[in-house]
Amino acid sequence: MKHYTLPIIIERDADGFFVSCPALQGCYTQGATYDEAIANIKDAIRLHLEDRQADHEELAEEKSVSLSTVEVSV
């Protein structure tokens, strides 16, 4: 069993938390709490990788993602 470390992006909104994995196109989920969202994205990533493996597709390479902010005046 291979272990993967993949970047995720967590966004909070009025309904809870939205989480996506930019290394895996279309891999995203949500949760009412932060902990629920993290558990859900782990499940979503595992299922995504298992599906790709079953289809004999290449699995995602581990990538580093940097998140930063910029200031914009309007």
Side-chain angles (χ1 to χ4, degrees), residues 13-25:
D13 63 18
D15 297 323
F17 295 86
F18 177 82
V19 188
S20 61
C21 180
L24 301 173
Q25 185 178 10

Side-chain angles (χ1 to χ4, degrees), residues 4-64:
Y4 292 88
T5 300
L6 297 164
I8 59 171
I9 297 172
I10 306 163
E11 300 175 66
R12 185 174 187 160
D13 63 18
D15 297 323
F17 295 86
F18 177 82
V19 188
S20 61
C21 180
L24 301 173
Q25 185 178 10
C27 190
Y28 56 88
T29 189
Q30 60 188 19
T33 66
Y34 179 88
D35 290 337
E36 180 182 13
I38 295 300
N40 289 345
I41 196 64
K42 286 180 178 181
D43 285 341
I45 289 170
R46 183 180 47 76
L47 292 171
H48 186 103
L49 293 175
E50 286 175 354
D51 284 347
R52 292 183 72 173
Q53 197 173 36
D55 291 340
H56 304 289
E57 294 179 28
E58 278 189 42
L59 297 181
E61 292 182 25
E62 297 178 16
K63 294 184 193 179
S64 175

